Amino acid sequence: MDYNEAKSTLSARKVKPTANRIIIYKVLSEATHPVSLTDLEIAIGTIDKASIFRTLTMFADHDLVHAFMDGSKSMKYELCVAGVHTIGDMHAHFYCEKCLKTYCLEDVRVPQANLPEGFTAHDVNYVVKGICPDCQGKL
Ligand SMILES: [Zn+2]
Ligand SMILES: [Zn+2]
Ligand SMILES: [Zn+2]
């Protein structure tokens, strides 16, 4: 995703496209795995951690990102690629206990919880833990 594409996506999602927000959105769009705040700080280099955190929180409020705990000590973030976020676009994640990487399992849908009447789901966190293919051979 280039700068202008990131900018128009933010505008379309009713987020004022400031320079920092565009950069953070662009870096998220290029990530191959869900990233932590620290990963983003290192990847960007020019924006301080507090500003990145504020932006991520704001993106989460606008449903631009999925924020979830994966079993590592930090929250992980990824772009929500659906035009409008619904619980149906959530996929499962796999956390490798050996290399500590989190994988997106795009084809693994999150099982629907059978909620009692009156409860409406907005977000769900489904993480499978184990050993990834890269680490299998190194056990
Ligand atoms: Zn989503
Ligand atoms: Zn691994
Ligand atoms: Zn994912």
Side-chain angles (χ1 to χ4, degrees), residues 33-34 66 68 77-79 91-93 102-106:
H33 293 268
H66 299 154
F68 59 93
Y77 301 89
E78 68 182 1
L79 283 194
H91 52 257
H93 289 99
T102 299
Y103 292 79
C104 287
L105 304 177
E106 267 108 1

Side-chain angles (χ1 to χ4, degrees), residues 38-93:
T38 307
D39 295 333
L40 281 172
E41 192 191 15
I42 294 165
I44 296 167
T46 51
I47 307 175
D48 67 274
K49 208 169 193 163
S51 304
I52 299 173
F53 183 70
R54 268 201 310 277
T55 303
L56 287 172
T57 306
M58 202 272 271
F59 282 177
D61 289 346
H62 283 78
D63 283 335
L64 284 160
V65 294
H66 299 154
F68 59 93
M69 296 304 292
D70 59 5
S72 69
K73 295 215 165 29
S74 38
M75 192 80 146
K76 291 289 165 65
Y77 301 89
E78 68 182 1
L79 283 194
C80 173
V81 290
V84 177
H85 171 78
T86 61
I87 199 148
D89 69 59
M90 294 298 295
H91 52 257
H93 289 99

